[in-house]
Amino acid sequence: MLFPDLPAGLAEALTTRGYTALTPVQSAVVEPEAHGRDLVVSAQTGSGKTVAFGLAFADQVLDEEGRVRRAAGPLALVIAPTRELALQVARELDWLYKSAGARIATCVGGMNPQVERRALAGGVSIVVGTPGRLRDHLERGALDLSALSAVVLDEADEMLDMGFREELEEILEATPEGRRVLMFSATMPRPIEALARRYQRDALRIQTGGTERGHGDIAYQAVTVSPSEIENAVVNLLRFHEAETAILFCATRDNVRHLHATLQERGFGVVALSGEHSQQERNQALQALRDRRARVCVATDVAARGIDLPSLSLVVHVEIPRDAETLQHRSGRTGRAGKKGIAVIIVPYPRRKRIESMLRHAKINAEWTTAPDRDAIVAQDRVRLLEKLMQPVEVTDGDRELADKLLETRTPQEIAAMLVQAHRATMPEPEELLAQSIDSQRAAHQEKHREGFEDTVWFRMDIGRRQNAEARWIMPLICRRGHVTRNEIGAIRIAQTETFFQIPRAIAGKFAEAVAATAGSEENGGYVAIEQSNEPPRMAARENAKRGKPNGPGPQRTFKPKPAGGGGKPYAGGKPHGGGKFKHKNKGRD
Ligand code: ADP
Ligand code: MG
């Protein structure tokens, strides 16, 4: 008997599920001192909080024999911030309480309310739902809370953050006196206090593991990239890690849509999850990940909380999370139930400081690195391929016959090469990362005489050395913003807070138009202002010294030795307008 202190039915369910011990948070909530009390529980992501609250309210739901109590209405109610999470929680409680005879109903926005009403009318013991839909059922008289003896707020802080305070209050006020209120989350910021004071009595605070030094099973990496190469860096990260399941977080629905399309075009098995999809589509996306028809999920923060995909080993923050809590919750989709995972934060160079401070705030130690390049991926593929092909195979007579036939016409080496090629063909190609190869290219390039740069126009951008401006990442940014190739960029002069560069006069007008059109597209570095300018002042002697000799290997790359002169007329193309994908802040929150 593995779990002697638990009701027999629940103990049996845990054992059948393959669990051999309770996690720390689960042990803590079933301790005698927690019995019957209101709880505020914070425990790190993936530590088994769902089963924890399932066990915590066992006394309210089951009688002495371990059978579900008979009552006029539901006995326990779980409220969760997103529809996916609510459905996942319901599934988890379902296996836990099945043998005890509990019926579980879900009340989830986007699902058919009539079906839900019917289930509620049919006598259920546990209800799981999202705040809005629960309130609807309550107001329409379909949800009877009079017999309720426990309410759980899963991801309580997120529900407040999402603006569900009113719904929560209305629901809580409809619950009977004396019911328990149990709040769970990995993070419990301030605003929770007020809710706790109002609706809880003498609550017991439980905090387990991992809160001091981040999460032991998640390795954090901060990967610096040129803002214009984010998507290519994502492609290479996916190819390098080849995670069984990976999740990529973007800030808005529009960006989810774009990255999803980009990856699909590259041949990844990818699904998208954001507020713009119907509930059915969202459920299907998660199901595809669960049964491995897809391996990559591109999502807004709608998937940051609670979602549990056991094979998920890679999280990529394609866009910076809005705060340190979101960083932890998004990352917490991996490293669950004792498994290891990697969380990668994509750091566009100009955002480095911001991310450093966010990591400090979250007490996370990240390894700073660059995106894997083609060579690294090819090397990694090799290792994986050899490993895979070295595995023992079962061979049938038919296979053997076919193999003999092949050997009659081809050499073993040819056959092996075909096998390798066939394997490789199933994997998308790595991308060329311009930023990382540009140093050598540009150095070589500058030694040649540059045609077309006799008559040029200077442009200015509002980032400089203080923002870590370096030719290797601002060149790709200029290319992307202005729709030019790197061969069409002349001298670059990087100053303290600004950078000047030359564009041939013949294409300067077209360049300015493209720059205006791409302003606002964050992914393309649209937050960097670019405008035509006069010839910049000569850099101080110290700067010139820094360039090194023209042929030297050093930092001369950032400067063309003899910039051709000639300031142009001030750029009259108007202010950059927001036409990009990133203009709707927070649009993708649901
Ligand atoms: P949290 O809500 O803390 O983020 P979940 O409740 O979603 O975590 O659980 C994370 C994973 O751990 C799930 O896959 C769950 O099945 C598994 N799990 C929960 N409890 C145990 C346990 N006692 N032993 C092994 N695995 C467990
Ligand atoms: Mg959870």
Side-chain angles (χ1 to χ4, degrees):
M1 187 71 183
L2 274 172
F3 306 99
D5 300 332
L6 299 180
L10 303 189
E12 195 185 299
L14 294 178
T15 311
T16 311
R17 190 82 179 172
Y19 297 177
T20 50
L22 295 182
T23 66
V25 65
Q26 291 161 1
S27 303
V29 299
V30 298
E31 287 284 315
E33 72 159 340
H35 276 196
R37 291 183 62 181
D38 287 349
L39 306 175
V40 176
V41 184
S42 58
Q44 70 182 23
T45 52
S47 58
K49 292 190 286 296
T50 318
V51 167
F53 56 69
L55 298 177
F57 60 55
D59 282 351
Q60 282 72 53
V61 175
L62 304 179
D63 60 19
E64 284 69 36
E65 267 85 69
R67 302 294 304 167
V68 160
R69 288 178 197 278
R70 299 191 165 278
L75 297 158
L77 170 68
V78 182
I79 317 174
T82 66
R83 316 166 196 186
E84 285 72 20
L85 185 52
L87 296 176
Q88 180 184 300
V89 166
R91 273 200 305 275
E92 197 94 337
L93 295 177
D94 193 51
W95 66 254
L96 187 61
Y97 275 94
K98 195 160 213 120
S99 71
R103 289 179 55 192
I104 296 172
T106 55
C107 300
V108 174
M111 306 291 269
N112 185 335
Q114 248 165 328
V115 173
E116 292 178 353
R117 248 195 313 275
R118 241 172 280 139
L120 289 172
V124 295
S125 4
I126 302 174
V127 174
V128 184
T130 51
R133 179 58 65 86
L134 284 169
R135 179 171 72 172
D136 285 351
H137 283 308
L138 185 64
E139 286 173 346
R140 280 162 208 187
L143 178 61
D144 173 9
L145 297 180
S146 62
L148 204 74
S149 45
V151 189
V152 176
L153 308 188
D154 193 14
E155 309 286 353
D157 55 326
E158 172 72 353
M159 293 198 283
L160 290 186
D161 246 22
M162 288 170 84
F164 282 134
R165 173 180 296 277
E166 239 178 74
E167 284 85 345
L168 292 179
E169 290 182 348
E170 190 171 332
I171 296 165
L172 286 167
E173 266 149 33
T175 58
E177 194 60 11
R179 81 283 178 262
R180 298 176 73 192
V181 177
L182 316 174
M183 300 193 189
F184 282 75
S185 182
T187 48
M188 283 290 181
R190 287 268 143 177
I192 285 296
E193 299 291 327
L195 202 69
R197 255 200 316 278
R198 185 140 161 219
Y199 294 102
Q200 291 186 314
R201 209 175 297 150
D202 182 32
L204 176 68
R205 274 159 207 278
I206 294 176
Q207 198 173 51
T208 58
T211 41
E212 273 308 300
R213 275 278 109 202
H215 194 303
D217 291 323
I218 303 175
Y220 279 87
Q221 290 181 354
V223 169
T224 49
V225 298
S226 171
S228 62
E229 294 206 290
I230 292 174
E231 289 192 340
N232 284 345
V234 170
V235 167
N236 283 10
L237 282 163
L238 289 173
R239 280 292 281 104
F240 183 80
H241 292 286
E242 287 287 335
E244 225 169 296
T245 309
I247 190 161
L248 315 177
F249 284 103
C250 297
T252 66
R253 301 168 185 190
D254 286 352
N255 297 339
V256 165
R257 192 182 324 118
H258 191 261
L259 184 58
H260 175 253
T262 303
L263 293 175
Q264 204 157 42
E265 178 201 338
R266 304 285 207 289
F268 289 92
V270 57
V271 293
L273 203 72
S274 81
E276 89 175 10
H277 302 100
S278 72
Q279 189 51 42
Q280 200 188 354
E281 288 171 322
R282 286 159 64 167
N283 295 347
Q284 275 166 1
L286 280 173
Q287 197 48 46
L289 294 166
R290 290 211 165 88
D291 46 52
R292 313 288 161 84
R293 279 172 290 130
R295 287 171 61 181
V296 181
C297 177
V298 188
T300 55
D301 286 333
V302 73
R305 295 273 183 153
I307 298 297
D308 184 56
L309 295 164
S311 62
L312 197 148
S313 58
L314 177 67
V315 174
V316 183
H317 303 266
V318 178
E319 289 173 87
I320 313 173
R322 63 179 185 277
D323 52 33
E325 277 81 27
T326 309
L327 174 71
Q328 278 162 279
H329 284 284
R330 282 174 167 190
S331 304
R333 293 321 97 218
T334 188
R336 301 176 71 75
K339 291 201 197 116
K340 300 282 176 202
I342 298 176
V344 177
I345 304 155
I346 303 261
V347 185
Y349 286 98
R351 298 292 167 95
R352 187 174 175 137
K353 295 236 162 66
R354 161 104 194 274
I355 291 169
E356 277 171 344
S357 102
M358 189 181 280
L359 287 169
R360 243 193 329 272
H361 180 71
K363 299 198 179 75
I364 289 168
N365 273 325
E367 176 200 350
W368 285 81
T369 172
T370 52
D373 61 9
R374 193 183 182 84
D375 290 348
I377 293 164
V378 169
Q380 197 72 357
D381 279 348
R382 243 167 207 279
V383 174
R384 275 192 291 256
L385 198 58
L386 281 178
E387 207 169 273
K388 195 161 174 191
L389 295 177
M390 291 309 201
Q391 303 246 317
V393 276
E394 259 179 47
V395 184
T396 65
D397 286 347
D399 292 342
R400 203 166 282 128
E401 209 176 294
L402 201 59
D404 286 340
K405 247 206 167 58
L406 274 171
L407 278 166
E408 281 169 24
T409 49
R410 308 251 181 209
T411 66
Q413 195 169 29
E414 281 170 338
I415 296 169
M418 276 160 51
L419 187 62
V420 170
Q421 270 166 22
H423 266 280
R424 191 164 291 148
T426 63
M427 299 182 284
E429 279 291 308
E431 293 296 329
E432 225 53 88
L433 292 177
L434 197 53
Q436 278 157 43
S437 59
I438 212 149
D439 295 0
S440 50
Q441 280 169 359
R442 188 163 171 84
H445 187 71
Q446 283 188 337
E447 283 161 33
K448 293 194 214 112
H449 172 67
R450 304 200 64 186
E451 263 173 56
F453 287 90
E454 297 81 14
D455 188 13
T456 59
V457 174
W458 282 99
F459 283 82
R460 172 191 172 276
M461 58 209 283
D462 64 349
I463 50 173
R465 241 173 289 115
R466 197 164 287 160
Q467 290 77 31
N468 297 314
E470 290 169 56
R472 67 184 166 121
W473 67 263
I474 54 178
M475 291 253 302
L477 189 150
I478 295 168
C479 293
R480 182 66 68 88
R481 287 290 306 281
H483 301 166
V484 293
T485 70
R486 60 173 182 273
N487 299 332
E488 292 168 312
I489 303 171
I492 298 178
R493 290 191 199 164
I494 302 174
Q496 194 66 14
T497 57
E498 55 189 353
T499 296
F500 299 89
F501 57 93
Q502 294 173 310
I503 296 293
R505 188 176 301 280
I507 58 165
K510 195 183 108 220
F511 176 82
E513 272 169 36
V515 160
T518 52
S521 154
E522 177 154 354
E523 164 196 339
N524 296 327
Y527 46 83
V528 176
I530 300 178
E531 59 192 6
Q532 195 170 328
S533 94
N534 294 321
E535 182 176 359
R538 283 260 156 203
M539 300 295 161
R542 194 177 61 83
E543 294 309 325
N544 291 328
K546 261 190 163 179
R547 293 187 210 171
K549 295 186 199 79
N551 297 328
Q556 59 103 9
R557 63 181 185 263
T558 39
F559 299 94
K560 185 168 183 280
K562 270 183 279 166
K569 292 190 198 81
Y571 164 48
K575 272 202 171 290
H577 55 82
K581 301 177 200 74
F582 283 75
K583 58 184 169 180
H584 314 287
K585 274 262 142 73
N586 273 342
K587 192 180 148 196
R589 282 289 313 277
D590 181 30

